[in-house]
PDB file of all heavy atoms in Angstrom:
ATOM      1  N   GLY A 299       0.818  -1.211   0.000  1.00 98.00           N
ATOM      2  CA  GLY A 299       0.000   0.000   0.000  1.00 98.00           C
ATOM      3  C   GLY A 299       0.851   1.260   0.000  1.00 98.00           C
ATOM      4  O   GLY A 299       0.549   2.231  -0.697  1.00 98.00           O
ATOM      5  N   GLN A 300       1.933   1.232   0.754  1.00 98.00           N
ATOM      6  CA  GLN A 300       2.812   2.400   0.799  1.00 98.00           C
ATOM      7  C   GLN A 300       3.537   2.610  -0.523  1.00 98.00           C
ATOM      8  O   GLN A 300       3.766   3.752  -0.938  1.00 98.00           O
ATOM      9  CB  GLN A 300       3.817   2.248   1.940  1.00 98.00           C
ATOM     10  CG  GLN A 300       3.218   2.420   3.323  1.00 98.00           C
ATOM     11  CD  GLN A 300       2.601   3.797   3.505  1.00 98.00           C
ATOM     12  OE1 GLN A 300       3.278   4.819   3.399  1.00 98.00           O
ATOM     13  NE2 GLN A 300       1.295   3.831   3.777  1.00 98.00           N
ATOM     14  N   ARG A 301       3.877   1.531  -1.205  1.00 98.00           N
ATOM     15  CA  ARG A 301       4.508   1.676  -2.527  1.00 98.00           C
ATOM     16  C   ARG A 301       3.530   2.258  -3.532  1.00 98.00           C
ATOM     17  O   ARG A 301       3.896   3.097  -4.367  1.00 98.00           O
ATOM     18  CB  ARG A 301       5.046   0.327  -3.002  1.00 98.00           C
ATOM     19  CG  ARG A 301       6.295  -0.139  -2.258  1.00 98.00           C
ATOM     20  CD  ARG A 301       6.922  -1.346  -2.918  1.00 98.00           C
ATOM     21  NE  ARG A 301       6.112  -2.547  -2.798  1.00 98.00           N
ATOM     22  CZ  ARG A 301       6.215  -3.426  -1.811  1.00 98.00           C
ATOM     23  NH1 ARG A 301       7.091  -3.232  -0.836  1.00 98.00           N
ATOM     24  NH2 ARG A 301       5.447  -4.514  -1.789  1.00 98.00           N
ATOM     25  N   ILE A 302       2.269   1.824  -3.468  1.00 98.00           N
ATOM     26  CA  ILE A 302       1.258   2.389  -4.372  1.00 98.00           C
ATOM     27  C   ILE A 302       1.058   3.862  -4.074  1.00 98.00           C
ATOM     28  O   ILE A 302       0.975   4.693  -4.986  1.00 98.00           O
ATOM     29  CB  ILE A 302      -0.079   1.619  -4.243  1.00 98.00           C
ATOM     30  CG1 ILE A 302       0.085   0.158  -4.639  1.00 98.00           C
ATOM     31  CG2 ILE A 302      -1.146   2.291  -5.113  1.00 98.00           C
ATOM     32  CD1 ILE A 302      -1.143  -0.692  -4.360  1.00 98.00           C
ATOM     33  N   LEU A 303       0.980   4.203  -2.791  1.00 98.00           N
ATOM     34  CA  LEU A 303       0.780   5.596  -2.411  1.00 98.00           C
ATOM     35  C   LEU A 303       1.961   6.457  -2.861  1.00 98.00           C
ATOM     36  O   LEU A 303       1.772   7.607  -3.297  1.00 98.00           O
ATOM     37  CB  LEU A 303       0.587   5.707  -0.896  1.00 98.00           C
ATOM     38  CG  LEU A 303       0.166   7.076  -0.363  1.00 98.00           C
ATOM     39  CD1 LEU A 303      -1.158   7.522  -0.982  1.00 98.00           C
ATOM     40  CD2 LEU A 303       0.047   7.034   1.158  1.00 98.00           C
ATOM     41  N   ALA A 304       3.167   5.914  -2.794  1.00 98.00           N
ATOM     42  CA  ALA A 304       4.342   6.654  -3.257  1.00 98.00           C
ATOM     43  C   ALA A 304       4.247   6.938  -4.753  1.00 98.00           C
ATOM     44  O   ALA A 304       4.579   8.043  -5.211  1.00 98.00           O
ATOM     45  CB  ALA A 304       5.615   5.866  -2.947  1.00 98.00           C
ATOM     46  N   ARG A 305       3.783   5.960  -5.528  1.00 98.00           N
ATOM     47  CA  ARG A 305       3.604   6.169  -6.971  1.00 98.00           C
ATOM     48  C   ARG A 305       2.576   7.269  -7.228  1.00 98.00           C
ATOM     49  O   ARG A 305       2.806   8.170  -8.047  1.00 98.00           O
ATOM     50  CB  ARG A 305       3.162   4.843  -7.605  1.00 98.00           C
ATOM     51  CG  ARG A 305       2.521   4.935  -8.986  1.00 98.00           C
ATOM     52  CD  ARG A 305       3.478   5.045 -10.124  1.00 98.00           C
ATOM     53  NE  ARG A 305       2.752   5.056 -11.400  1.00 98.00           N
ATOM     54  CZ  ARG A 305       2.468   3.963 -12.112  1.00 98.00           C
ATOM     55  NH1 ARG A 305       2.861   2.748 -11.692  1.00 98.00           N
ATOM     56  NH2 ARG A 305       1.807   4.054 -13.250  1.00 98.00           N
ATOM     57  N   LEU A 306       1.457   7.213  -6.531  1.00 98.00           N
ATOM     58  CA  LEU A 306       0.423   8.230  -6.724  1.00 98.00           C
ATOM     59  C   LEU A 306       0.909   9.604  -6.288  1.00 98.00           C
ATOM     60  O   LEU A 306       0.633  10.611  -6.951  1.00 98.00           O
ATOM     61  CB  LEU A 306      -0.836   7.843  -5.956  1.00 98.00           C
ATOM     62  CG  LEU A 306      -1.560   6.580  -6.433  1.00 98.00           C
ATOM     63  CD1 LEU A 306      -2.739   6.269  -5.523  1.00 98.00           C
ATOM     64  CD2 LEU A 306      -2.032   6.717  -7.875  1.00 98.00           C
ATOM     65  N   ALA A 307       1.643   9.659  -5.172  1.00 98.00           N
ATOM     66  CA  ALA A 307       2.159  10.945  -4.691  1.00 98.00           C
ATOM     67  C   ALA A 307       3.101  11.576  -5.714  1.00 98.00           C
ATOM     68  O   ALA A 307       3.116  12.797  -5.886  1.00 98.00           O
ATOM     69  CB  ALA A 307       2.876  10.752  -3.352  1.00 98.00           C
ATOM     70  N   ASN A 308       3.871  10.756  -6.407  1.00 98.00           N
ATOM     71  CA  ASN A 308       4.760  11.274  -7.437  1.00 98.00           C
ATOM     72  C   ASN A 308       3.992  11.816  -8.633  1.00 98.00           C
ATOM     73  O   ASN A 308       4.464  12.727  -9.329  1.00 98.00           O
ATOM     74  CB  ASN A 308       5.721  10.175  -7.905  1.00 98.00           C
ATOM     75  CG  ASN A 308       6.829   9.901  -6.909  1.00 98.00           C
ATOM     76  OD1 ASN A 308       7.203  10.780  -6.133  1.00 98.00           O
ATOM     77  ND2 ASN A 308       7.345   8.682  -6.909  1.00 98.00           N
ATOM     78  N   GLU A 309       2.805  11.253  -8.885  1.00 98.00           N
ATOM     79  CA  GLU A 309       2.026  11.646 -10.060  1.00 98.00           C
ATOM     80  C   GLU A 309       1.019  12.758  -9.768  1.00 98.00           C
ATOM     81  O   GLU A 309       0.524  13.402 -10.700  1.00 98.00           O
ATOM     82  CB  GLU A 309       1.305  10.419 -10.628  1.00 98.00           C
ATOM     83  CG  GLU A 309       2.257   9.347 -11.136  1.00 98.00           C
ATOM     84  CD  GLU A 309       1.533   8.154 -11.735  1.00 98.00           C
ATOM     85  OE1 GLU A 309       0.281   8.200 -11.849  1.00 98.00           O
ATOM     86  OE2 GLU A 309       2.214   7.168 -12.095  1.00 98.00           O
ATOM     87  N   ILE A 310       0.703  12.965  -8.516  1.00 98.00           N
ATOM     88  CA  ILE A 310      -0.317  13.960  -8.156  1.00 98.00           C
ATOM     89  C   ILE A 310       0.036  15.377  -8.604  1.00 98.00           C
ATOM     90  O   ILE A 310      -0.837  16.089  -9.123  1.00 98.00           O
ATOM     91  CB  ILE A 310      -0.625  13.884  -6.649  1.00 98.00           C
ATOM     92  CG1 ILE A 310      -1.563  12.702  -6.370  1.00 98.00           C
ATOM     93  CG2 ILE A 310      -1.257  15.178  -6.142  1.00 98.00           C
ATOM     94  CD1 ILE A 310      -1.796  12.434  -4.889  1.00 98.00           C
ATOM     95  N   PRO A 311       1.275  15.867  -8.429  1.00 98.00           N
ATOM     96  CA  PRO A 311       1.561  17.241  -8.859  1.00 98.00           C
ATOM     97  C   PRO A 311       1.239  17.497 -10.326  1.00 98.00           C
ATOM     98  O   PRO A 311       0.656  18.534 -10.667  1.00 98.00           O
ATOM     99  CB  PRO A 311       3.055  17.393  -8.566  1.00 98.00           C
ATOM    100  CG  PRO A 311       3.292  16.484  -7.414  1.00 98.00           C
ATOM    101  CD  PRO A 311       2.430  15.286  -7.695  1.00 98.00           C
ATOM    102  N   ALA A 312       1.580  16.566 -11.203  1.00 98.00           N
ATOM    103  CA  ALA A 312       1.267  16.736 -12.620  1.00 98.00           C
ATOM    104  C   ALA A 312      -0.245  16.702 -12.846  1.00 98.00           C
ATOM    105  O   ALA A 312      -0.778  17.455 -13.679  1.00 98.00           O
ATOM    106  CB  ALA A 312       1.948  15.646 -13.447  1.00 98.00           C
ATOM    107  N   ALA A 313      -0.942  15.837 -12.101  1.00 98.00           N
ATOM    108  CA  ALA A 313      -2.404  15.767 -12.223  1.00 98.00           C
ATOM    109  C   ALA A 313      -3.046  17.077 -11.786  1.00 98.00           C
ATOM    110  O   ALA A 313      -3.993  17.569 -12.410  1.00 98.00           O
ATOM    111  CB  ALA A 313      -2.946  14.601 -11.406  1.00 98.00           C
ATOM    112  N   VAL A 314      -2.528  17.668 -10.717  1.00 98.00           N
ATOM    113  CA  VAL A 314      -3.048  18.948 -10.229  1.00 98.00           C
ATOM    114  C   VAL A 314      -2.783  20.052 -11.255  1.00 98.00           C
ATOM    115  O   VAL A 314      -3.673  20.860 -11.555  1.00 98.00           O
ATOM    116  CB  VAL A 314      -2.425  19.299  -8.864  1.00 98.00           C
ATOM    117  CG1 VAL A 314      -2.712  20.762  -8.500  1.00 98.00           C
ATOM    118  CG2 VAL A 314      -2.967  18.376  -7.787  1.00 98.00           C
ATOM    119  N   ASP A 315      -1.588  20.095 -11.796  1.00 98.00           N
ATOM    120  CA  ASP A 315      -1.273  21.119 -12.801  1.00 98.00           C
ATOM    121  C   ASP A 315      -2.215  21.015 -13.990  1.00 98.00           C
ATOM    122  O   ASP A 315      -2.702  22.032 -14.502  1.00 98.00           O
ATOM    123  CB  ASP A 315       0.174  20.976 -13.267  1.00 98.00           C
ATOM    124  CG  ASP A 315       1.180  21.390 -12.201  1.00 98.00           C
ATOM    125  OD1 ASP A 315       0.774  22.061 -11.231  1.00 98.00           O
ATOM    126  OD2 ASP A 315       2.362  21.034 -12.343  1.00 98.00           O
ATOM    127  N   ARG A 316      -2.473  19.786 -14.430  1.00 98.00           N
ATOM    128  CA  ARG A 316      -3.388  19.578 -15.560  1.00 98.00           C
ATOM    129  C   ARG A 316      -4.814  19.985 -15.180  1.00 98.00           C
ATOM    130  O   ARG A 316      -5.512  20.660 -15.954  1.00 98.00           O
ATOM    131  CB  ARG A 316      -3.358  18.108 -15.974  1.00 98.00           C
ATOM    132  CG  ARG A 316      -4.389  17.698 -17.013  1.00 98.00           C
ATOM    133  CD  ARG A 316      -4.252  18.471 -18.293  1.00 98.00           C
ATOM    134  NE  ARG A 316      -5.216  18.031 -19.290  1.00 98.00           N
ATOM    135  CZ  ARG A 316      -5.657  18.796 -20.287  1.00 98.00           C
ATOM    136  NH1 ARG A 316      -5.228  20.050 -20.401  1.00 98.00           N
ATOM    137  NH2 ARG A 316      -6.523  18.327 -21.161  1.00 98.00           N
ATOM    138  N   ALA A 317      -5.244  19.620 -13.989  1.00 98.00           N
ATOM    139  CA  ALA A 317      -6.609  19.931 -13.552  1.00 98.00           C
ATOM    140  C   ALA A 317      -6.832  21.437 -13.486  1.00 98.00           C
ATOM    141  O   ALA A 317      -7.906  21.933 -13.861  1.00 98.00           O
ATOM    142  CB  ALA A 317      -6.872  19.303 -12.187  1.00 98.00           C
ATOM    143  N   MET A 318      -5.836  22.180 -13.036  1.00 98.00           N
ATOM    144  CA  MET A 318      -5.982  23.624 -12.888  1.00 98.00           C
ATOM    145  C   MET A 318      -6.046  24.347 -14.228  1.00 98.00           C
ATOM    146  O   MET A 318      -6.461  25.507 -14.286  1.00 98.00           O
ATOM    147  CB  MET A 318      -4.828  24.173 -12.046  1.00 98.00           C
ATOM    148  CG  MET A 318      -4.893  23.752 -10.587  1.00 98.00           C
ATOM    149  SD  MET A 318      -3.487  24.351  -9.600  1.00 98.00           S
ATOM    150  CE  MET A 318      -3.703  26.129  -9.755  1.00 98.00           C
ATOM    151  N   GLN A 319      -5.667  23.678 -15.310  1.00 98.00           N
ATOM    152  CA  GLN A 319      -5.718  24.277 -16.635  1.00 98.00           C
ATOM    153  C   GLN A 319      -7.063  24.070 -17.335  1.00 98.00           C
ATOM    154  O   GLN A 319      -7.333  24.699 -18.351  1.00 98.00           O
ATOM    155  CB  GLN A 319      -4.612  23.690 -17.511  1.00 98.00           C
ATOM    156  CG  GLN A 319      -3.203  24.009 -17.042  1.00 98.00           C
ATOM    157  CD  GLN A 319      -2.153  23.252 -17.834  1.00 98.00           C
ATOM    158  OE1 GLN A 319      -2.449  22.572 -18.813  1.00 98.00           O
ATOM    159  NE2 GLN A 319      -0.909  23.359 -17.398  1.00 98.00           N
ATOM    160  N   LEU A 320      -7.904  23.205 -16.786  1.00 98.00           N
ATOM    161  CA  LEU A 320      -9.141  22.841 -17.466  1.00 98.00           C
ATOM    162  C   LEU A 320     -10.216  23.906 -17.277  1.00 98.00           C
ATOM    163  O   LEU A 320     -10.432  24.408 -16.183  1.00 98.00           O
ATOM    164  CB  LEU A 320      -9.650  21.492 -16.950  1.00 98.00           C
ATOM    165  CG  LEU A 320      -8.731  20.283 -17.195  1.00 98.00           C
ATOM    166  CD1 LEU A 320      -9.369  19.021 -16.633  1.00 98.00           C
ATOM    167  CD2 LEU A 320      -8.440  20.108 -18.675  1.00 98.00           C
ATOM    168  N   SER A 321     -10.907  24.191 -18.358  1.00 97.00           N
ATOM    169  CA  SER A 321     -12.044  25.103 -18.324  1.00 97.00           C
ATOM    170  C   SER A 321     -13.321  24.312 -18.071  1.00 97.00           C
ATOM    171  O   SER A 321     -13.299  23.067 -17.994  1.00 97.00           O
ATOM    172  CB  SER A 321     -12.160  25.842 -19.656  1.00 97.00           C
ATOM    173  OG  SER A 321     -12.491  24.923 -20.693  1.00 97.00           O
ATOM    174  N   ASP A 322     -14.432  25.005 -17.979  1.00 97.00           N
ATOM    175  CA  ASP A 322     -15.715  24.311 -17.812  1.00 97.00           C
ATOM    176  C   ASP A 322     -15.973  23.361 -18.973  1.00 97.00           C
ATOM    177  O   ASP A 322     -16.516  22.270 -18.785  1.00 97.00           O
ATOM    178  CB  ASP A 322     -16.851  25.331 -17.730  1.00 97.00           C
ATOM    179  CG  ASP A 322     -16.911  26.017 -16.374  1.00 97.00           C
ATOM    180  OD1 ASP A 322     -16.070  25.705 -15.514  1.00 97.00           O
ATOM    181  OD2 ASP A 322     -17.786  26.879 -16.189  1.00 97.00           O
ATOM    182  N   ASP A 323     -15.614  23.755 -20.178  1.00 96.00           N
ATOM    183  CA  ASP A 323     -15.860  22.922 -21.348  1.00 96.00           C
ATOM    184  C   ASP A 323     -14.936  21.708 -21.395  1.00 96.00           C
ATOM    185  O   ASP A 323     -15.279  20.691 -22.007  1.00 96.00           O
ATOM    186  CB  ASP A 323     -15.679  23.739 -22.631  1.00 96.00           C
ATOM    187  CG  ASP A 323     -16.768  24.785 -22.814  1.00 96.00           C
ATOM    188  OD1 ASP A 323     -17.868  24.607 -22.240  1.00 96.00           O
ATOM    189  OD2 ASP A 323     -16.529  25.775 -23.518  1.00 96.00           O
ATOM    190  N   ASP A 324     -13.770  21.817 -20.758  1.00 97.00           N
ATOM    191  CA  ASP A 324     -12.818  20.707 -20.765  1.00 97.00           C
ATOM    192  C   ASP A 324     -13.039  19.740 -19.607  1.00 97.00           C
ATOM    193  O   ASP A 324     -12.682  18.561 -19.699  1.00 97.00           O
ATOM    194  CB  ASP A 324     -11.380  21.238 -20.677  1.00 97.00           C
ATOM    195  CG  ASP A 324     -10.995  22.053 -21.893  1.00 97.00           C
ATOM    196  OD1 ASP A 324     -11.417  21.683 -23.001  1.00 97.00           O
ATOM    197  OD2 ASP A 324     -10.288  23.068 -21.727  1.00 97.00           O
ATOM    198  N   ARG A 325     -13.604  20.236 -18.528  1.00 97.00           N
ATOM    199  CA  ARG A 325     -13.854  19.380 -17.366  1.00 97.00           C
ATOM    200  C   ARG A 325     -14.875  18.316 -17.734  1.00 97.00           C
ATOM    201  O   ARG A 325     -15.863  18.601 -18.400  1.00 97.00           O
ATOM    202  CB  ARG A 325     -14.365  20.249 -16.218  1.00 97.00           C
ATOM    203  CG  ARG A 325     -14.440  19.545 -14.885  1.00 97.00           C
ATOM    204  CD  ARG A 325     -14.970  20.483 -13.807  1.00 97.00           C
ATOM    205  NE  ARG A 325     -16.350  20.860 -14.023  1.00 97.00           N
ATOM    206  CZ  ARG A 325     -16.775  22.093 -14.244  1.00 97.00           C
ATOM    207  NH1 ARG A 325     -15.930  23.100 -14.284  1.00 97.00           N
ATOM    208  NH2 ARG A 325     -18.060  22.330 -14.417  1.00 97.00           N
ATOM    209  N   GLN A 326     -14.653  17.080 -17.309  1.00 95.00           N
ATOM    210  CA  GLN A 326     -15.594  16.015 -17.661  1.00 95.00           C
ATOM    211  C   GLN A 326     -15.522  14.879 -16.652  1.00 95.00           C
ATOM    212  O   GLN A 326     -14.558  14.764 -15.905  1.00 95.00           O
ATOM    213  CB  GLN A 326     -15.322  15.507 -19.075  1.00 95.00           C
ATOM    214  CG  GLN A 326     -13.921  14.966 -19.303  1.00 95.00           C
ATOM    215  CD  GLN A 326     -13.786  13.488 -18.980  1.00 95.00           C
ATOM    216  OE1 GLN A 326     -14.735  12.737 -19.094  1.00 95.00           O
ATOM    217  NE2 GLN A 326     -12.607  13.089 -18.563  1.00 95.00           N
ATOM    218  N   ALA A 327     -16.551  14.052 -16.637  1.00 91.00           N
ATOM    219  CA  ALA A 327     -16.625  12.940 -15.697  1.00 91.00           C
ATOM    220  C   ALA A 327     -16.999  11.651 -16.421  1.00 91.00           C
ATOM    221  O   ALA A 327     -17.676  10.791 -15.875  1.00 91.00           O
ATOM    222  CB  ALA A 327     -17.647  13.245 -14.602  1.00 91.00           C
ATOM    223  N   PHE A 328     -16.550  11.516 -17.664  1.00 91.00           N
ATOM    224  CA  PHE A 328     -16.909  10.363 -18.485  1.00 91.00           C
ATOM    225  C   PHE A 328     -15.928   9.225 -18.224  1.00 91.00           C
ATOM    226  O   PHE A 328     -14.795   9.237 -18.687  1.00 91.00           O
ATOM    227  CB  PHE A 328     -16.895  10.748 -19.963  1.00 91.00           C
ATOM    228  CG  PHE A 328     -17.328   9.632 -20.883  1.00 91.00           C
ATOM    229  CD1 PHE A 328     -18.632   9.173 -20.859  1.00 91.00           C
ATOM    230  CD2 PHE A 328     -16.426   9.051 -21.761  1.00 91.00           C
ATOM    231  CE1 PHE A 328     -19.041   8.146 -21.695  1.00 91.00           C
ATOM    232  CE2 PHE A 328     -16.823   8.031 -22.610  1.00 91.00           C
ATOM    233  CZ  PHE A 328     -18.131   7.568 -22.577  1.00 91.00           C
TER     234      PHE A 328
END
């Protein structure tokens, strides 16, 4: 579990940067 969490923690900053760039038209839940 800790190894999985470490992988996700490494990827979260890029995910946050991408999320903050999305507009209403780009945001989706599909």
Side-chain angles (χ1 to χ4, degrees):
Q300 287 300 300
R301 287 190 291 269
I302 298 172
L303 189 59
R305 162 81 177 269
L306 294 176
N308 284 333
E309 296 182 5
I310 281 173
V314 167
D315 289 344
R316 172 59 178 155
M318 291 178 62
Q319 295 172 6
L320 297 180
S321 66
D322 284 0
D323 291 336
D324 295 323
R325 190 181 67 243
Q326 58 88 29
F328 183 67

